[in-house]
Amino acid sequence: MSNYETVIGLEIHAELSTHSKVFCGCTTEFGGQPNTHCCPICTGMPGVLPSVNKRAVEYAIKAGLALNCNIAEYSKMDRKNYCYPDLPKAYQISQFDLPLCYGGYLNIEVDGQVKRIRINRIHLEEDAGKLVHDQSETESFVDYNRCGVPLIEIVTEPDMRSPEEGRIFLEKVKSILEYIEVSDCKMEEGSLRCDVNVSVRPRGQKEFGIRTEMKNLNSFRAAYRAMEYESRRHIQVLGEGGIIGQETRRWDDALGKSYTMRTKEEAQDYRYFPEPDLVPIVVDRAWVKKLKGELPELPDDKKMRYVDEYGLPEYDAGVLTSSKEVARFFEETVKLYDNPKTVSNWVMGDLLRLLKDRGIEMAEVKITPEGLIDLIKLVDKGVISISIGKTVFEEMFDTGKDAETIVDEKCLKQISDEGALREIVKDVLSNNPKSIEDYKAGKKKAMGYLVGQTMKATKGKANPQMVNKILKEELDRA
């Protein structure tokens, strides 16, 4: 075990799913030709006046409520000043000392233990544009389509003590934002990103070490690897008598390492001051109460309901509720079938595996709840074996065909004719005299081997229960 303890804090940026930008009427639609989704307001032309998108404020409040935050009755927008090509105004409209949401928390489960991660604040701000470096070897281009898209920034306290805790927290925040439908959280499109702050300190020391920040990590894998690498780097530098500098570093996912980008700015470096063109945001308590009543059942509550209502193990319930769309598919399927655990096994073991293997989202899945139930019933009736069922499921997933059509087209119906199976079993036994001797000598593996050979001979279509029964009868006679 290292003599150092890792300390991690996250700043999670989520684009809100409003139709228009936070301070103007331009579309927030992803893509489009460069610089076609912008106007004088979001590009900061002289003399323009922004106005706050009420829906963006509403979504930010909903996120705050879902993450157990207090909602400020009075907050304001501020100018965060810095010069960078993707920021045409040379300042970002954000929130500094009076954020919209503050003092929240989120409980995560790590190694069977519940840990509370405190949330310092959630504030509303506008996104910046995007620099494009790959169209020329000598020039960079700027696309301002993303400028002014509404963002919330979720800032945690430095409560995480391992990259695993950081990953779990990030995944849970993503899940909650998807449940309450305030962000699509498409990391590949940049609508969910995070900055990672890492430091280390000798175990038992109360004071924090010097932290470094890595910005705009846009995948769980990149965030986890970055936290892991930076923690190791800090420990190595300190172990060799070096000093950690407070800096912003860039993460290179291809190389699996970070490198210095610039010294870390403090709040005073941004010269914050109140945004003079926007009035303060005054939130009515009745509005907050109304928005709280509109929140859906959140993942933790849904998980406990699955345990109580469906009798599922907590692990199963946790996996099924981690994704809103997976939970929806599961619930629609359970309505059609009275064995939730069987449905859970198919969703967790086969559906989630194929989603990961194929790299697709639930919205692209071709299997319907009705189609899965038709497949399960074919297995229940003994028309096909469970192993054949898994093969059929995979073809249903890839093609969208129904189970019965696939079974008929590929002649996959289970062989349950006892006479036919007995002849196959006798043939297997005649070819495996050594296994018969092993069985007679009490070696249990021999039976399993012979079952496997019989299933192989029937291309997996034999009724497994019947194979076991016939094999035992024939072996006892041998």
Side-chain angles (χ1 to χ4, degrees):
M1 177 185 286
S2 169
N3 293 325
Y4 288 94
E5 177 182 55
T6 300
V7 177
I8 294 170
L10 298 178
E11 299 167 19
I12 301 170
H13 305 261
E15 287 185 353
L16 300 176
S17 298
T18 56
H19 294 300
S20 57
K21 293 184 180 180
V22 65
F23 302 121
C24 68
C26 292
T27 179
T28 58
E29 184 181 357
F30 179 76
Q33 290 298 311
N35 302 310
T36 58
H37 297 171
C38 45
C39 70
I41 294 176
C42 55
T43 54
M45 297 292 107
V48 298
L49 283 175
S51 58
V52 176
N53 183 333
K54 184 178 179 181
R55 183 56 59 86
V57 176
E58 176 183 308
Y59 282 4
I61 291 172
K62 282 188 171 182
L65 292 170
L67 294 171
N68 305 295
C69 290
N70 301 299
I71 308 302
E73 293 187 19
Y74 179 97
S75 67
K76 63 181 174 66
M77 305 306 298
D78 299 279
R79 289 189 181 182
K80 180 181 180 180
N81 297 274
Y82 64 95
C83 293
Y84 202 65
D86 62 4
L87 203 63
K89 297 192 292 279
Y91 63 86
Q92 177 190 33
I93 301 178
S94 181
Q95 292 189 295
F96 176 47
D97 55 331
L98 295 175
L100 190 58
C101 314
Y102 62 94
Y105 68 87
L106 186 60
N107 292 329
I108 61 172
E109 189 171 323
V110 186
D111 298 327
Q113 300 294 316
V114 174
K115 179 171 182 177
R116 177 160 293 185
I117 307 299
R118 293 171 299 157
I119 295 170
N120 177 285
R121 59 192 278 149
I122 301 176
H123 61 258
L124 182 65
E125 63 185 20
E126 61 179 339
D127 210 344
K130 181 181 179 181
L131 291 177
V132 181
H133 305 291
D134 58 1
Q135 294 185 9
S136 169
E137 293 182 1
T138 58
E139 298 172 309
S140 289
F141 298 86
V142 189
D143 180 4
Y144 290 128
N145 281 349
R146 200 171 67 184
C147 251
V149 170
L151 281 178
I152 51 172
E153 181 173 343
I154 303 165
V155 182
T156 77
E157 299 289 358
D159 288 348
M160 286 154 276
R161 295 293 176 265
S162 70
E164 181 66 8
E165 289 183 12
R167 181 190 63 79
I168 292 170
F169 180 85
L170 181 58
E171 288 181 348
K172 192 163 185 180
V173 167
K174 177 178 182 286
S175 175
I176 288 172
L177 296 180
E178 288 174 334
Y179 264 80
I180 64 176
E181 297 182 343
V182 301
S183 175
D184 62 24
C185 295
K186 292 180 179 178
M187 300 185 86
E188 70 279 5
E189 293 182 3
S191 57
L192 185 70
R193 320 185 287 274
C194 79
D195 301 343
V196 172
N197 292 281
V198 177
S199 66
V200 301
R201 62 184 175 186
R203 291 191 181 276
Q205 177 178 297
K206 290 185 179 180
E207 296 79 15
F208 292 126
I210 300 296
R211 67 187 171 96
T212 56
E213 181 182 32
M214 287 170 289
K215 300 185 79 69
N216 290 331
L217 298 161
N218 62 356
S219 74
F220 296 137
R221 178 177 180 272
Y224 180 85
R225 293 178 71 213
M227 288 183 276
E228 197 172 44
Y229 173 87
E230 196 62 7
S231 173
R232 285 198 313 268
R233 188 185 70 82
H234 281 220
I235 292 169
Q236 182 178 347
V237 169
L238 293 174
E240 294 172 352
I243 297 174
I244 298 295
Q246 185 162 314
E247 61 184 358
T248 298
R249 297 176 69 84
R250 186 180 296 280
W251 173 251
D252 189 318
D253 203 42
L255 296 177
K257 61 188 297 184
S258 66
Y259 56 91
T260 299
M261 194 163 74
R262 60 178 181 265
T263 57
K264 173 67 179 153
E265 298 90 345
E266 297 291 355
Q268 62 267 23
D269 296 324
Y270 291 118
R271 295 176 290 114
Y272 281 99
F273 63 86
E275 169 56 67
D277 294 333
L278 290 167
V279 297
I281 299 172
V282 180
V283 176
D284 182 72
R285 291 294 99 186
W287 188 32
V288 174
K289 185 177 180 180
K290 174 179 176 290
L291 294 178
K292 189 169 187 177
E294 293 174 0
L295 291 179
E297 184 180 39
L298 296 176
D300 283 350
D301 295 329
K302 192 179 286 288
K303 173 185 173 181
M304 296 318 298
R305 179 168 67 82
Y306 281 15
V307 172
D308 295 338
E309 184 177 331
Y310 300 131
L312 294 178
E314 282 199 22
Y315 176 79
D316 291 35
V319 172
L320 293 170
T321 56
S322 63
S323 160
K324 178 186 175 183
E325 289 305 310
V326 170
R328 179 195 58 77
F329 183 92
F330 170 77
E331 289 190 28
E332 289 182 6
T333 308
V334 166
K335 288 177 185 176
L336 307 171
Y337 190 75
D338 61 0
N339 190 327
K341 179 57 178 167
T342 296
V343 175
S344 170
N345 290 344
W346 280 97
V347 173
M348 289 174 58
D350 297 273
L351 180 62
L352 294 184
R353 174 182 60 82
L354 289 171
L355 282 171
K356 183 178 179 181
D357 289 350
R358 304 293 192 270
I360 65 173
E361 300 292 329
M362 273 298 297
E364 303 170 74
V365 169
K366 297 173 182 175
I367 294 178
T368 63
E370 293 79 10
L372 176 55
I373 292 306
D374 289 342
L375 172 62
I376 292 173
K377 287 180 177 177
L378 289 178
V379 174
D380 287 348
K381 293 173 184 176
V383 176
I384 57 175
S385 66
I386 185 70
S387 61
I388 291 294
K390 291 180 179 297
T391 301
V392 173
F393 184 93
E394 190 159 344
E395 180 138 348
M396 292 170 67
F397 187 94
D398 290 335
T399 67
K401 291 182 181 179
D402 64 86
E404 199 159 347
T405 297
I406 295 168
V407 168
D408 288 340
E409 286 179 351
K410 297 187 174 291
C411 301
L412 296 174
K413 287 185 178 177
Q414 187 165 253
I415 301 171
S416 297
D417 183 307
E418 186 169 345
L421 280 179
R422 194 172 294 276
E423 290 305 312
I424 295 169
V425 166
K426 286 179 179 178
D427 189 49
V428 167
L429 291 175
S430 68
N431 291 326
N432 293 278
K434 180 67 169 59
S435 295
I436 297 174
E437 291 176 17
D438 290 344
Y439 176 81
K440 295 289 186 182
K443 294 180 180 178
K444 295 181 180 179
K445 287 184 178 179
M447 183 68 167
Y449 175 77
L450 291 168
V451 169
Q453 291 301 301
T454 306
M455 296 305 292
K456 183 178 178 182
T458 60
K459 297 182 179 177
K461 292 188 284 184
N463 183 315
Q465 291 78 19
M466 196 169 285
V467 167
N468 274 277
K469 172 180 170 291
I470 295 170
L471 260 172
K472 192 170 187 313
E473 290 172 357
E474 293 298 324
L475 285 167
D476 290 344
R477 287 197 195 108

